[in-house]
Amino acid sequence: MSQENEVQRSTYIAKQLKKKEVVDARIAAATQERGVTILLTGNGKGKSSSAFGTMARSLGHQKRAAVIQFIKGRKETGEQLFFASHPNVEFHVMGHGFTWETRDPELEKTAAEQAWQQALIYLQDPNIDFVLLDEITYMYKYGHLEVADLIAALNTRPNHQNVMMTGRTAPRELMEMVDTHSKIADERHAFRAGLKAQAGIEW
Amino acid sequence: MSQENEVQRSTYIAKQLKKKEVVDARIAAATQERGVTILLTGNGKGKSSSAFGTMARSLGHQKRAAVIQFIKGRKETGEQLFFASHPNVEFHVMGHGFTWETRDPELEKTAAEQAWQQALIYLQDPNIDFVLLDEITYMYKYGHLEVADLIAALNTRPNHQNVMMTGRTAPRELMEMVDTHSKIADERHAFRAGLKAQAGIEW
């Protein structure tokens, strides 16, 4: 190895060790062990898929999960086809009412309330390690559910339980109380370039 | 129903129909059918999990998928435990070398090149519908791989193939050529509040 290369290598190693030190110090400071609440918002692609990916990760570690999808599409989704039959997953799609094509706010509200009652059961069940409330935030936007009820349920859930929630926007009270909040920005989207939505990517 | 309620209901329905019209027009304009390239960047939580969630969605529709993880952690990840045994998934974790704890840039580079050769095989294979290049963008940041090689491979891949790539930052050339790019911002993270990382959420 040339002397110049050796210097480069040493500099690189020194930088990496410095980074490791910083990361290790942060890891040492993070000692509290309990379940977390995670909120994913924003207009970019990836919110629900991120939640389902995290669920897969939990299932990989033999955790038990429950899903409530608050918006029902016209087609059966890939995530439902993939996860609904898993022995450690309870999978619910809101019975009827709200879709992007809906016309009836009263049917929607009733369906939202039924789905929320189902969600509440899981949020009180210590056997459920991971709860996914997919697209729940639209229910607050449309006035079908009360965010105070969600916050109360999150605050009294089993200590080890992780909860993920998705939706384009979210009430401020929710954003302020969750442990983790990622916001997904749409920098560029295939749809705008005229590309057709497809099974396995969009649903 | 009171007259006031009836008016509210009609207004709501009219608004929803208007929205549906706009969405329908956009759907009608998106007619091109081919696979897409999707890039997920940003410092927020959810990039890899979003890619794995999309992969689950693809698997739900009976697609075939291949994963190359360019960064290997110390522990076996939930996503590997969950997906690696699936009959429609090829799962590779970079053989050795690069981890967040590494010290040797030359070993890293060799490992990165080997992983890239494996990725290339899938990017040329018409039987693979979905390719996930997890944390690949770090390889360009550290100079272990050339982004021009990735772009050439994306441009010549099978027409129907979807490719997802993740990493905190990405080279500008890549951001400018992908079909979809979502950037995940870290609005709040449990780690900073002293919460310990846990199996099923962080790995």
Side-chain angles (χ1 to χ4, degrees), chain A residues 12-13 32 45 57-58 79 103 108 181-183 185 187-188 196 200, chain B residues 12-13 32 45 57-58 79 103 106 108 181-183 185 187-188 196 200:
Chain A
Y12 179 93
I13 291 169
Q32 206 188 333
K45 177 169 177 50
R57 191 173 271 174
S58 292
E79 56 268 28
R103 314 283 152 83
E108 279 180 29
H181 174 201
S182 291
K183 188 170 173 183
E187 300 282 318
R188 185 193 278 257
K196 197 168 175 178
Chain B
Y12 179 93
I13 291 169
Q32 207 188 333
K45 177 168 175 51
R57 191 173 269 175
S58 292
E79 56 268 29
R103 315 280 152 84
E106 284 174 41
E108 279 180 28
H181 175 199
S182 291
K183 189 172 173 182
E187 300 281 320
R188 183 191 280 255
K196 196 168 178 178

PDB file of all heavy atoms in Angstrom, chain A residues 12-13 32 45 57-58 79 103 108 181-183 185 187-188 196 200, chain B residues 12-13 32 45 57-58 79 103 106 108 181-183 185 187-188 196 200:
ATOM      1  N   TYR A  12      -9.841   7.633   7.155  1.00  0.00           N
ATOM      2  CA  TYR A  12     -11.170   7.016   7.035  1.00  0.00           C
ATOM      3  C   TYR A  12     -11.521   6.272   8.312  1.00  0.00           C
ATOM      4  O   TYR A  12     -12.601   6.442   8.884  1.00  0.00           O
ATOM      5  CB  TYR A  12     -11.155   6.057   5.838  1.00  0.00           C
ATOM      6  CG  TYR A  12     -12.453   5.328   5.605  1.00  0.00           C
ATOM      7  CD1 TYR A  12     -13.407   5.839   4.738  1.00  0.00           C
ATOM      8  CD2 TYR A  12     -12.709   4.112   6.242  1.00  0.00           C
ATOM      9  CE1 TYR A  12     -14.593   5.171   4.505  1.00  0.00           C
ATOM     10  CE2 TYR A  12     -13.898   3.427   6.023  1.00  0.00           C
ATOM     11  CZ  TYR A  12     -14.835   3.965   5.156  1.00  0.00           C
ATOM     12  OH  TYR A  12     -16.001   3.294   4.937  1.00  0.00           O
ATOM     13  N   ILE A  13     -10.551   5.459   8.778  1.00  0.00           N
ATOM     14  CA  ILE A  13     -10.803   4.662   9.982  1.00  0.00           C
ATOM     15  C   ILE A  13     -11.045   5.569  11.186  1.00  0.00           C
ATOM     16  O   ILE A  13     -11.965   5.346  11.978  1.00  0.00           O
ATOM     17  CB  ILE A  13      -9.629   3.683  10.231  1.00  0.00           C
ATOM     18  CG1 ILE A  13      -9.634   2.607   9.130  1.00  0.00           C
ATOM     19  CG2 ILE A  13      -9.713   3.055  11.618  1.00  0.00           C
ATOM     20  CD1 ILE A  13      -8.396   1.730   9.103  1.00  0.00           C
ATOM     21  N   GLN A  32     -34.632   3.500  28.069  1.00  0.00           N
ATOM     22  CA  GLN A  32     -36.018   3.230  28.448  1.00  0.00           C
ATOM     23  C   GLN A  32     -36.594   2.139  27.540  1.00  0.00           C
ATOM     24  O   GLN A  32     -36.525   2.242  26.323  1.00  0.00           O
ATOM     25  CB  GLN A  32     -36.809   4.532  28.285  1.00  0.00           C
ATOM     26  CG  GLN A  32     -38.019   4.620  29.175  1.00  0.00           C
ATOM     27  CD  GLN A  32     -38.859   5.845  28.834  1.00  0.00           C
ATOM     28  OE1 GLN A  32     -38.357   6.852  28.328  1.00  0.00           O
ATOM     29  NE2 GLN A  32     -40.148   5.755  29.080  1.00  0.00           N
ATOM     30  N   LYS A  45     -45.280   8.810  -1.424  1.00  0.00           N
ATOM     31  CA  LYS A  45     -45.551   7.379  -1.435  1.00  0.00           C
ATOM     32  C   LYS A  45     -44.755   6.689  -0.338  1.00  0.00           C
ATOM     33  O   LYS A  45     -43.583   6.974  -0.156  1.00  0.00           O
ATOM     34  CB  LYS A  45     -45.134   6.804  -2.790  1.00  0.00           C
ATOM     35  CG  LYS A  45     -45.307   5.307  -2.873  1.00  0.00           C
ATOM     36  CD  LYS A  45     -45.146   4.776  -4.272  1.00  0.00           C
ATOM     37  CE  LYS A  45     -45.272   3.254  -4.257  1.00  0.00           C
ATOM     38  NZ  LYS A  45     -46.481   2.805  -3.526  1.00  0.00           N
ATOM     39  N   ARG A  57     -41.239  -6.969   9.960  1.00  0.00           N
ATOM     40  CA  ARG A  57     -40.074  -7.021  10.850  1.00  0.00           C
ATOM     41  C   ARG A  57     -40.476  -7.569  12.218  1.00  0.00           C
ATOM     42  O   ARG A  57     -39.789  -8.435  12.777  1.00  0.00           O
ATOM     43  CB  ARG A  57     -39.555  -5.587  10.962  1.00  0.00           C
ATOM     44  CG  ARG A  57     -38.252  -5.406  11.605  1.00  0.00           C
ATOM     45  CD  ARG A  57     -37.802  -3.957  11.478  1.00  0.00           C
ATOM     46  NE  ARG A  57     -37.034  -3.707  10.267  1.00  0.00           N
ATOM     47  CZ  ARG A  57     -36.616  -2.510   9.856  1.00  0.00           C
ATOM     48  NH1 ARG A  57     -36.927  -1.421  10.566  1.00  0.00           N
ATOM     49  NH2 ARG A  57     -35.909  -2.375   8.777  1.00  0.00           N
ATOM     50  N   SER A  58     -41.577  -7.096  12.767  1.00  0.00           N
ATOM     51  CA  SER A  58     -42.067  -7.596  14.053  1.00  0.00           C
ATOM     52  C   SER A  58     -42.427  -9.076  13.969  1.00  0.00           C
ATOM     53  O   SER A  58     -42.089  -9.858  14.865  1.00  0.00           O
ATOM     54  CB  SER A  58     -43.301  -6.810  14.497  1.00  0.00           C
ATOM     55  OG  SER A  58     -42.958  -5.488  14.817  1.00  0.00           O
ATOM     56  N   GLU A  79     -51.208  -6.197   0.390  1.00  0.00           N
ATOM     57  CA  GLU A  79     -50.875  -6.377   1.808  1.00  0.00           C
ATOM     58  C   GLU A  79     -51.897  -7.290   2.496  1.00  0.00           C
ATOM     59  O   GLU A  79     -51.537  -8.121   3.327  1.00  0.00           O
ATOM     60  CB  GLU A  79     -50.735  -5.039   2.543  1.00  0.00           C
ATOM     61  CG  GLU A  79     -51.917  -4.086   2.495  1.00  0.00           C
ATOM     62  CD  GLU A  79     -51.840  -3.083   1.349  1.00  0.00           C
ATOM     63  OE1 GLU A  79     -51.223  -3.409   0.309  1.00  0.00           O
ATOM     64  OE2 GLU A  79     -52.406  -1.985   1.475  1.00  0.00           O
ATOM     65  N   ARG A 103     -70.137   8.092  -1.096  1.00  0.00           N
ATOM     66  CA  ARG A 103     -71.092   9.191  -1.243  1.00  0.00           C
ATOM     67  C   ARG A 103     -71.817   9.487   0.054  1.00  0.00           C
ATOM     68  O   ARG A 103     -72.548  10.437   0.132  1.00  0.00           O
ATOM     69  CB  ARG A 103     -72.179   8.841  -2.290  1.00  0.00           C
ATOM     70  CG  ARG A 103     -71.696   8.253  -3.566  1.00  0.00           C
ATOM     71  CD  ARG A 103     -71.110   9.305  -4.473  1.00  0.00           C
ATOM     72  NE  ARG A 103     -70.106   8.737  -5.350  1.00  0.00           N
ATOM     73  CZ  ARG A 103     -70.371   8.107  -6.508  1.00  0.00           C
ATOM     74  NH1 ARG A 103     -71.575   8.002  -6.944  1.00  0.00           N
ATOM     75  NH2 ARG A 103     -69.390   7.612  -7.239  1.00  0.00           N
ATOM     76  N   GLU A 108     -70.345   6.179   6.340  1.00  0.00           N
ATOM     77  CA  GLU A 108     -68.921   6.267   6.646  1.00  0.00           C
ATOM     78  C   GLU A 108     -68.683   6.351   8.148  1.00  0.00           C
ATOM     79  O   GLU A 108     -67.829   5.663   8.688  1.00  0.00           O
ATOM     80  CB  GLU A 108     -68.333   7.540   6.036  1.00  0.00           C
ATOM     81  CG  GLU A 108     -67.993   7.450   4.592  1.00  0.00           C
ATOM     82  CD  GLU A 108     -67.422   8.770   4.092  1.00  0.00           C
ATOM     83  OE1 GLU A 108     -66.801   9.510   4.881  1.00  0.00           O
ATOM     84  OE2 GLU A 108     -67.614   9.042   2.910  1.00  0.00           O
ATOM     85  N   HIS A 181     -42.304  10.409  14.687  1.00  0.00           N
ATOM     86  CA  HIS A 181     -43.135  10.916  13.596  1.00  0.00           C
ATOM     87  C   HIS A 181     -42.246  11.139  12.380  1.00  0.00           C
ATOM     88  O   HIS A 181     -41.311  11.929  12.425  1.00  0.00           O
ATOM     89  CB  HIS A 181     -43.813  12.226  14.029  1.00  0.00           C
ATOM     90  CG  HIS A 181     -44.584  12.896  12.929  1.00  0.00           C
ATOM     91  ND1 HIS A 181     -44.916  14.225  12.945  1.00  0.00           N
ATOM     92  CD2 HIS A 181     -45.086  12.409  11.749  1.00  0.00           C
ATOM     93  CE1 HIS A 181     -45.601  14.535  11.840  1.00  0.00           C
ATOM     94  NE2 HIS A 181     -45.702  13.451  11.097  1.00  0.00           N
ATOM     95  N   SER A 182     -42.522  10.409  11.311  1.00  0.00           N
ATOM     96  CA  SER A 182     -41.832  10.644  10.046  1.00  0.00           C
ATOM     97  C   SER A 182     -42.822  11.225   9.055  1.00  0.00           C
ATOM     98  O   SER A 182     -43.980  10.813   9.003  1.00  0.00           O
ATOM     99  CB  SER A 182     -41.267   9.335   9.471  1.00  0.00           C
ATOM    100  OG  SER A 182     -40.213   8.854  10.255  1.00  0.00           O
ATOM    101  N   LYS A 183     -42.329  12.167   8.275  1.00  0.00           N
ATOM    102  CA  LYS A 183     -43.192  12.818   7.281  1.00  0.00           C
ATOM    103  C   LYS A 183     -42.590  12.550   5.906  1.00  0.00           C
ATOM    104  O   LYS A 183     -41.431  12.876   5.656  1.00  0.00           O
ATOM    105  CB  LYS A 183     -43.243  14.315   7.571  1.00  0.00           C
ATOM    106  CG  LYS A 183     -44.252  15.044   6.718  1.00  0.00           C
ATOM    107  CD  LYS A 183     -44.420  16.469   7.221  1.00  0.00           C
ATOM    108  CE  LYS A 183     -45.312  17.252   6.264  1.00  0.00           C
ATOM    109  NZ  LYS A 183     -45.430  18.653   6.690  1.00  0.00           N
ATOM    110  N   ALA A 185     -42.251  13.169   2.125  1.00  0.00           N
ATOM    111  CA  ALA A 185     -42.496  14.178   1.089  1.00  0.00           C
ATOM    112  C   ALA A 185     -42.430  13.536  -0.288  1.00  0.00           C
ATOM    113  O   ALA A 185     -41.619  12.649  -0.547  1.00  0.00           O
ATOM    114  CB  ALA A 185     -41.457  15.286   1.206  1.00  0.00           C
ATOM    115  N   GLU A 187     -41.217  13.879  -3.585  1.00  0.00           N
ATOM    116  CA  GLU A 187     -40.258  14.634  -4.390  1.00  0.00           C
ATOM    117  C   GLU A 187     -40.545  14.460  -5.874  1.00  0.00           C
ATOM    118  O   GLU A 187     -40.245  15.308  -6.698  1.00  0.00           O
ATOM    119  CB  GLU A 187     -38.837  14.156  -4.091  1.00  0.00           C
ATOM    120  CG  GLU A 187     -38.402  14.320  -2.645  1.00  0.00           C
ATOM    121  CD  GLU A 187     -38.013  15.754  -2.327  1.00  0.00           C
ATOM    122  OE1 GLU A 187     -37.343  16.376  -3.155  1.00  0.00           O
ATOM    123  OE2 GLU A 187     -38.397  16.248  -1.240  1.00  0.00           O
ATOM    124  N   ARG A 188     -41.117  13.305  -6.207  1.00  0.00           N
ATOM    125  CA  ARG A 188     -41.344  12.955  -7.605  1.00  0.00           C
ATOM    126  C   ARG A 188     -42.241  11.728  -7.594  1.00  0.00           C
ATOM    127  O   ARG A 188     -42.081  10.849  -6.751  1.00  0.00           O
ATOM    128  CB  ARG A 188     -39.998  12.595  -8.231  1.00  0.00           C
ATOM    129  CG  ARG A 188     -40.012  12.327  -9.716  1.00  0.00           C
ATOM    130  CD  ARG A 188     -38.694  11.693 -10.104  1.00  0.00           C
ATOM    131  NE  ARG A 188     -37.641  12.679 -10.299  1.00  0.00           N
ATOM    132  CZ  ARG A 188     -37.216  13.068 -11.507  1.00  0.00           C
ATOM    133  NH1 ARG A 188     -37.749  12.567 -12.583  1.00  0.00           N
ATOM    134  NH2 ARG A 188     -36.242  13.952 -11.621  1.00  0.00           N
ATOM    135  N   LYS A 196     -49.102   4.256 -15.256  1.00  0.00           N
ATOM    136  CA  LYS A 196     -50.314   3.683 -14.691  1.00  0.00           C
ATOM    137  C   LYS A 196     -50.032   2.999 -13.345  1.00  0.00           C
ATOM    138  O   LYS A 196     -49.006   2.334 -13.194  1.00  0.00           O
ATOM    139  CB  LYS A 196     -50.846   2.648 -15.685  1.00  0.00           C
ATOM    140  CG  LYS A 196     -52.288   2.265 -15.462  1.00  0.00           C
ATOM    141  CD  LYS A 196     -52.828   1.472 -16.648  1.00  0.00           C
ATOM    142  CE  LYS A 196     -54.225   0.984 -16.361  1.00  0.00           C
ATOM    143  NZ  LYS A 196     -54.790   0.259 -17.519  1.00  0.00           N
ATOM    144  N   GLY A 200     -49.184  -4.522  -6.719  1.00  0.00           N
ATOM    145  CA  GLY A 200     -47.865  -4.840  -6.158  1.00  0.00           C
ATOM    146  C   GLY A 200     -47.058  -3.603  -5.852  1.00  0.00           C
ATOM    147  O   GLY A 200     -46.069  -3.662  -5.139  1.00  0.00           O
TER     148      GLY A 200
ATOM    149  N   TYR B  12     -71.259  17.893   1.209  1.00  0.00           N
ATOM    150  CA  TYR B  12     -70.200  16.890   1.361  1.00  0.00           C
ATOM    151  C   TYR B  12     -70.127  15.998   0.126  1.00  0.00           C
ATOM    152  O   TYR B  12     -69.068  15.761  -0.442  1.00  0.00           O
ATOM    153  CB  TYR B  12     -70.507  16.054   2.610  1.00  0.00           C
ATOM    154  CG  TYR B  12     -69.517  14.946   2.886  1.00  0.00           C
ATOM    155  CD1 TYR B  12     -68.431  15.172   3.736  1.00  0.00           C
ATOM    156  CD2 TYR B  12     -69.670  13.688   2.323  1.00  0.00           C
ATOM    157  CE1 TYR B  12     -67.525  14.160   4.006  1.00  0.00           C
ATOM    158  CE2 TYR B  12     -68.762  12.673   2.584  1.00  0.00           C
ATOM    159  CZ  TYR B  12     -67.695  12.915   3.431  1.00  0.00           C
ATOM    160  OH  TYR B  12     -66.810  11.909   3.689  1.00  0.00           O
ATOM    161  N   ILE B  13     -71.307  15.522  -0.309  1.00  0.00           N
ATOM    162  CA  ILE B  13     -71.352  14.627  -1.465  1.00  0.00           C
ATOM    163  C   ILE B  13     -70.841  15.341  -2.720  1.00  0.00           C
ATOM    164  O   ILE B  13     -70.054  14.781  -3.490  1.00  0.00           O
ATOM    165  CB  ILE B  13     -72.788  14.079  -1.667  1.00  0.00           C
ATOM    166  CG1 ILE B  13     -73.114  13.121  -0.507  1.00  0.00           C
ATOM    167  CG2 ILE B  13     -72.937  13.378  -3.013  1.00  0.00           C
ATOM    168  CD1 ILE B  13     -74.562  12.700  -0.416  1.00  0.00           C
ATOM    169  N   GLN B  32     -49.380   4.686 -19.292  1.00  0.00           N
ATOM    170  CA  GLN B  32     -48.164   3.951 -19.631  1.00  0.00           C
ATOM    171  C   GLN B  32     -47.975   2.784 -18.656  1.00  0.00           C
ATOM    172  O   GLN B  32     -47.987   2.983 -17.438  1.00  0.00           O
ATOM    173  CB  GLN B  32     -46.985   4.923 -19.542  1.00  0.00           C
ATOM    174  CG  GLN B  32     -45.823   4.563 -20.429  1.00  0.00           C
ATOM    175  CD  GLN B  32     -44.627   5.466 -20.133  1.00  0.00           C
ATOM    176  OE1 GLN B  32     -44.788   6.601 -19.685  1.00  0.00           O
ATOM    177  NE2 GLN B  32     -43.434   4.954 -20.361  1.00  0.00           N
ATOM    178  N   LYS B  45     -37.322   7.777  10.019  1.00  0.00           N
ATOM    179  CA  LYS B  45     -37.542   6.346  10.113  1.00  0.00           C
ATOM    180  C   LYS B  45     -38.538   5.900   9.053  1.00  0.00           C
ATOM    181  O   LYS B  45     -39.553   6.552   8.843  1.00  0.00           O
ATOM    182  CB  LYS B  45     -38.117   6.013  11.500  1.00  0.00           C
ATOM    183  CG  LYS B  45     -38.432   4.552  11.658  1.00  0.00           C
ATOM    184  CD  LYS B  45     -38.721   4.164  13.079  1.00  0.00           C
ATOM    185  CE  LYS B  45     -39.137   2.694  13.111  1.00  0.00           C
ATOM    186  NZ  LYS B  45     -38.180   1.826  12.408  1.00  0.00           N
ATOM    187  N   ARG B  57     -46.472  -6.383  -0.529  1.00  0.00           N
ATOM    188  CA  ARG B  57     -47.599  -6.084  -1.413  1.00  0.00           C
ATOM    189  C   ARG B  57     -47.412  -6.811  -2.755  1.00  0.00           C
ATOM    190  O   ARG B  57     -48.345  -7.428  -3.279  1.00  0.00           O
ATOM    191  CB  ARG B  57     -47.603  -4.570  -1.611  1.00  0.00           C
ATOM    192  CG  ARG B  57     -48.798  -4.002  -2.261  1.00  0.00           C
ATOM    193  CD  ARG B  57     -48.717  -2.482  -2.219  1.00  0.00           C
ATOM    194  NE  ARG B  57     -49.344  -1.913  -1.041  1.00  0.00           N
ATOM    195  CZ  ARG B  57     -49.335  -0.625  -0.725  1.00  0.00           C
ATOM    196  NH1 ARG B  57     -48.683   0.238  -1.497  1.00  0.00           N
ATOM    197  NH2 ARG B  57     -49.951  -0.198   0.345  1.00  0.00           N
ATOM    198  N   SER B  58     -46.224  -6.751  -3.313  1.00  0.00           N
ATOM    199  CA  SER B  58     -45.927  -7.455  -4.573  1.00  0.00           C
ATOM    200  C   SER B  58     -46.077  -8.963  -4.409  1.00  0.00           C
ATOM    201  O   SER B  58     -46.665  -9.631  -5.261  1.00  0.00           O
ATOM    202  CB  SER B  58     -44.505  -7.145  -5.043  1.00  0.00           C
ATOM    203  OG  SER B  58     -44.397  -5.800  -5.432  1.00  0.00           O
ATOM    204  N   GLU B  79     -36.728  -8.433   9.080  1.00  0.00           N
ATOM    205  CA  GLU B  79     -37.107  -8.572   7.664  1.00  0.00           C
ATOM    206  C   GLU B  79     -36.458  -9.801   7.042  1.00  0.00           C
ATOM    207  O   GLU B  79     -37.078 -10.519   6.251  1.00  0.00           O
ATOM    208  CB  GLU B  79     -36.799  -7.305   6.857  1.00  0.00           C
ATOM    209  CG  GLU B  79     -35.373  -6.796   6.871  1.00  0.00           C
ATOM    210  CD  GLU B  79     -35.096  -5.772   7.964  1.00  0.00           C
ATOM    211  OE1 GLU B  79     -35.754  -5.834   9.017  1.00  0.00           O
ATOM    212  OE2 GLU B  79     -34.196  -4.921   7.766  1.00  0.00           O
ATOM    213  N   ARG B 103     -14.085  -1.101  10.010  1.00  0.00           N
ATOM    214  CA  ARG B 103     -12.827  -0.351  10.083  1.00  0.00           C
ATOM    215  C   ARG B 103     -12.056  -0.386   8.781  1.00  0.00           C
ATOM    216  O   ARG B 103     -11.065   0.277   8.658  1.00  0.00           O
ATOM    217  CB  ARG B 103     -11.885  -0.938  11.168  1.00  0.00           C
ATOM    218  CG  ARG B 103     -12.536  -1.268  12.486  1.00  0.00           C
ATOM    219  CD  ARG B 103     -12.718  -0.033  13.339  1.00  0.00           C
ATOM    220  NE  ARG B 103     -13.858  -0.202  14.222  1.00  0.00           N
ATOM    221  CZ  ARG B 103     -13.814  -0.827  15.407  1.00  0.00           C
ATOM    222  NH1 ARG B 103     -12.707  -1.313  15.855  1.00  0.00           N
ATOM    223  NH2 ARG B 103     -14.890  -0.942  16.135  1.00  0.00           N
ATOM    224  N   GLU B 106     -11.116  -1.206   2.393  1.00  0.00           N
ATOM    225  CA  GLU B 106     -10.837  -2.096   1.261  1.00  0.00           C
ATOM    226  C   GLU B 106     -11.710  -3.344   1.295  1.00  0.00           C
ATOM    227  O   GLU B 106     -12.223  -3.783   0.275  1.00  0.00           O
ATOM    228  CB  GLU B 106      -9.344  -2.469   1.224  1.00  0.00           C
ATOM    229  CG  GLU B 106      -8.540  -1.281   0.694  1.00  0.00           C
ATOM    230  CD  GLU B 106      -7.034  -1.512   0.772  1.00  0.00           C
ATOM    231  OE1 GLU B 106      -6.607  -2.641   0.478  1.00  0.00           O
ATOM    232  OE2 GLU B 106      -6.321  -0.556   1.140  1.00  0.00           O
ATOM    233  N   GLU B 108     -14.575  -3.409   2.683  1.00  0.00           N
ATOM    234  CA  GLU B 108     -15.905  -2.875   2.366  1.00  0.00           C
ATOM    235  C   GLU B 108     -16.127  -2.798   0.871  1.00  0.00           C
ATOM    236  O   GLU B 108     -17.162  -3.199   0.356  1.00  0.00           O
ATOM    237  CB  GLU B 108     -16.032  -1.445   2.905  1.00  0.00           C
ATOM    238  CG  GLU B 108     -16.360  -1.333   4.350  1.00  0.00           C
ATOM    239  CD  GLU B 108     -16.470   0.129   4.755  1.00  0.00           C
ATOM    240  OE1 GLU B 108     -16.809   0.986   3.917  1.00  0.00           O
ATOM    241  OE2 GLU B 108     -16.193   0.398   5.925  1.00  0.00           O
ATOM    242  N   HIS B 181     -39.731   9.381  -6.168  1.00  0.00           N
ATOM    243  CA  HIS B 181     -38.771   9.656  -5.088  1.00  0.00           C
ATOM    244  C   HIS B 181     -39.531  10.229  -3.899  1.00  0.00           C
ATOM    245  O   HIS B 181     -40.153  11.275  -4.007  1.00  0.00           O
ATOM    246  CB  HIS B 181     -37.702  10.644  -5.590  1.00  0.00           C
ATOM    247  CG  HIS B 181     -36.745  11.084  -4.511  1.00  0.00           C
ATOM    248  ND1 HIS B 181     -35.976  12.217  -4.606  1.00  0.00           N
ATOM    249  CD2 HIS B 181     -36.442  10.525  -3.307  1.00  0.00           C
ATOM    250  CE1 HIS B 181     -35.247  12.350  -3.501  1.00  0.00           C
ATOM    251  NE2 HIS B 181     -35.506  11.345  -2.700  1.00  0.00           N
ATOM    252  N   SER B 182     -39.500   9.501  -2.791  1.00  0.00           N
ATOM    253  CA  SER B 182     -40.074  10.016  -1.552  1.00  0.00           C
ATOM    254  C   SER B 182     -38.943  10.294  -0.576  1.00  0.00           C
ATOM    255  O   SER B 182     -37.991   9.529  -0.483  1.00  0.00           O
ATOM    256  CB  SER B 182     -41.036   9.009  -0.920  1.00  0.00           C
ATOM    257  OG  SER B 182     -42.201   8.867  -1.692  1.00  0.00           O
ATOM    258  N   LYS B 183     -39.081  11.395   0.133  1.00  0.00           N
ATOM    259  CA  LYS B 183     -38.054  11.776   1.103  1.00  0.00           C
ATOM    260  C   LYS B 183     -38.689  11.792   2.485  1.00  0.00           C
ATOM    261  O   LYS B 183     -39.678  12.497   2.714  1.00  0.00           O
ATOM    262  CB  LYS B 183     -37.505  13.156   0.733  1.00  0.00           C
ATOM    263  CG  LYS B 183     -36.286  13.554   1.540  1.00  0.00           C
ATOM    264  CD  LYS B 183     -35.690  14.831   0.986  1.00  0.00           C
ATOM    265  CE  LYS B 183     -34.569  15.327   1.889  1.00  0.00           C
ATOM    266  NZ  LYS B 183     -34.024  16.604   1.385  1.00  0.00           N
ATOM    267  N   ALA B 185     -38.777  12.686   6.223  1.00  0.00           N
ATOM    268  CA  ALA B 185     -38.205  13.611   7.197  1.00  0.00           C
ATOM    269  C   ALA B 185     -38.462  13.108   8.611  1.00  0.00           C
ATOM    270  O   ALA B 185     -39.516  12.538   8.902  1.00  0.00           O
ATOM    271  CB  ALA B 185     -38.813  14.995   7.014  1.00  0.00           C
ATOM    272  N   GLU B 187     -39.448  14.013  11.875  1.00  0.00           N
ATOM    273  CA  GLU B 187     -40.099  15.088  12.626  1.00  0.00           C
ATOM    274  C   GLU B 187     -39.874  14.903  14.123  1.00  0.00           C
ATOM    275  O   GLU B 187     -39.859  15.851  14.888  1.00  0.00           O
ATOM    276  CB  GLU B 187     -41.603  15.101  12.345  1.00  0.00           C
ATOM    277  CG  GLU B 187     -41.967  15.315  10.876  1.00  0.00           C
ATOM    278  CD  GLU B 187     -41.864  16.776  10.473  1.00  0.00           C
ATOM    279  OE1 GLU B 187     -42.265  17.634  11.273  1.00  0.00           O
ATOM    280  OE2 GLU B 187     -41.378  17.054   9.353  1.00  0.00           O
ATOM    281  N   ARG B 188     -39.708  13.642  14.529  1.00  0.00           N
ATOM    282  CA  ARG B 188     -39.590  13.312  15.950  1.00  0.00           C
ATOM    283  C   ARG B 188     -39.151  11.860  16.008  1.00  0.00           C
ATOM    284  O   ARG B 188     -39.593  11.045  15.206  1.00  0.00           O
ATOM    285  CB  ARG B 188     -40.981  13.458  16.580  1.00  0.00           C
ATOM    286  CG  ARG B 188     -41.050  13.226  18.071  1.00  0.00           C
ATOM    287  CD  ARG B 188     -42.500  13.128  18.486  1.00  0.00           C
ATOM    288  NE  ARG B 188     -43.127  14.431  18.609  1.00  0.00           N
ATOM    289  CZ  ARG B 188     -43.404  15.004  19.788  1.00  0.00           C
ATOM    290  NH1 ARG B 188     -43.123  14.404  20.915  1.00  0.00           N
ATOM    291  NH2 ARG B 188     -44.001  16.164  19.839  1.00  0.00           N
ATOM    292  N   LYS B 196     -35.108   2.975  24.101  1.00  0.00           N
ATOM    293  CA  LYS B 196     -34.152   1.997  23.574  1.00  0.00           C
ATOM    294  C   LYS B 196     -34.666   1.379  22.270  1.00  0.00           C
ATOM    295  O   LYS B 196     -35.857   1.076  22.149  1.00  0.00           O
ATOM    296  CB  LYS B 196     -33.984   0.894  24.627  1.00  0.00           C
ATOM    297  CG  LYS B 196     -32.767   0.024  24.406  1.00  0.00           C
ATOM    298  CD  LYS B 196     -32.502  -0.836  25.632  1.00  0.00           C
ATOM    299  CE  LYS B 196     -31.321  -1.750  25.389  1.00  0.00           C
ATOM    300  NZ  LYS B 196     -31.028  -2.556  26.571  1.00  0.00           N
ATOM    301  N   GLY B 200     -38.007  -5.801  16.063  1.00  0.00           N
ATOM    302  CA  GLY B 200     -39.350  -5.697  15.497  1.00  0.00           C
ATOM    303  C   GLY B 200     -39.704  -4.270  15.125  1.00  0.00           C
ATOM    304  O   GLY B 200     -40.681  -4.039  14.424  1.00  0.00           O
TER     305      GLY B 200
END
